[in-house]
Amino acid sequence: MTGASGENGPLMLDLTFPYRLLGAGKNGRACLFLLHGSGVDETSMVPLARRIAPDAALIAVRGRIPQEDGFRWFERITPTRFDQQSIRVETADFVAFASEVATRHGLDLAHATFLGYSNGANLVSSLMLLHPGIVRSAALLRPMPVLDKVPSTDLMGTRTLIIAGAEDETYGPFAPPLVTLLSRHGTEIDARIVPIGHEIGDPDAVIVERWLAESAAAAQGG
């Protein structure tokens, strides 16, 4: 479901990360930060996000590390080992970016969900563990743990959805350890498995859409 979209908007380059703002003003509270996978750009997540939340404002962000014909979020050493300094630099800069873009466009981070796929999902989980308070709602598609050293972060009050692929032979086995890690730090977690590989598509969209609806209902009930 990733790919080209007719709704891409202008690429803004004057903040720390390049980004596009889509659909602002349709819904004053709901917004999704979109963090793409490796080797593509910010537009790749837009079709999936529109399937999930057609009326939400979208902040489609581009990673800063070039890879092939696209980008990624931090340097990797092997497919499953990552440069720790790169993770810490990029997450720290993303914290400042998220605050700046929210202020600029009148967005409320308390009502934002960070939707990340693969390397983008790994940046989101690292944000949660290294800089608690920025991410309160996270939907992580095909993620894995990437931090060698995890601080004693308190994630109480946050909600996390993790979706692994049953046929994702490389990254699927890493999803359960991430579920355990984030649960131990206090996030309310919902872990799912879909019958596909590392690619994402309709099964993910259905799960994330329902999860967001349940989150909204719970917030209104509270």
Side-chain angles (χ1 to χ4, degrees):
M1 185 173 290
T2 57
S5 170
E7 183 202 8
N8 283 336
L11 181 64
M12 302 185 188
L13 300 170
D14 59 335
L15 294 183
T16 313
F17 288 84
Y19 74 101
R20 301 175 193 265
L21 175 70
L22 311 172
K26 291 182 180 179
N27 184 324
R29 292 168 68 85
C31 67
L32 297 179
F33 280 78
L34 310 181
L35 289 86
H36 60 80
S38 303
V40 293
D41 67 18
E42 71 287 347
T43 63
S44 64
M45 294 289 288
V46 173
L48 181 73
R50 274 291 164 247
R51 166 71 173 82
I52 292 166
D55 295 326
L58 305 181
I59 305 92
V61 194
R62 176 182 294 183
R64 301 190 297 187
I65 311 299
Q67 178 177 318
E68 299 169 351
D69 294 329
F71 304 89
R72 61 181 294 112
W73 294 94
F74 45 81
E75 301 281 0
R76 71 179 179 184
I77 300 169
T78 73
T80 58
R81 290 187 60 233
F82 306 92
D83 184 282
Q84 298 298 299
Q85 180 63 18
S86 180
I87 294 172
R88 291 179 181 274
V89 168
E90 297 305 307
T91 53
D93 285 351
F94 198 95
V95 170
F97 165 80
S99 298
E100 290 170 352
V101 80
T103 299
R104 171 181 288 185
H105 298 293
L107 305 172
D108 185 354
L109 291 179
H111 297 283
T113 292
F114 290 73
L115 174 64
Y117 165 52
S118 192
N119 187 236
N122 298 341
L123 185 86
V124 176
S125 66
S126 299
L127 277 171
M128 297 174 71
L129 293 165
L130 295 175
H131 303 279
I134 292 293
V135 178
R136 302 186 189 183
S137 173
L140 310 179
L141 313 181
R142 314 299 185 270
M144 65 169 290
V146 296
L147 293 173
D148 291 346
K149 296 181 180 179
V150 180
S152 55
T153 307
D154 183 358
L155 295 178
M156 291 294 292
T158 66
R159 301 182 75 252
T160 304
L161 171 67
I162 291 179
I163 307 179
E167 300 174 16
D168 187 356
E169 296 181 359
T170 300
Y171 297 100
F174 289 97
L178 182 63
V179 170
T180 299
L181 173 64
L182 294 178
S183 296
R184 285 176 176 170
H185 284 265
T187 190
E188 177 185 337
I189 202 156
D190 186 345
R192 307 290 187 93
I193 299 175
V194 290
I196 53 179
H198 195 67
E199 72 279 4
I200 53 176
D202 287 335
D204 300 282
V206 170
I207 293 171
V208 178
E209 184 180 14
R210 290 176 179 171
W211 181 76
L212 287 174
E214 292 168 358
S215 299
Q220 291 176 358

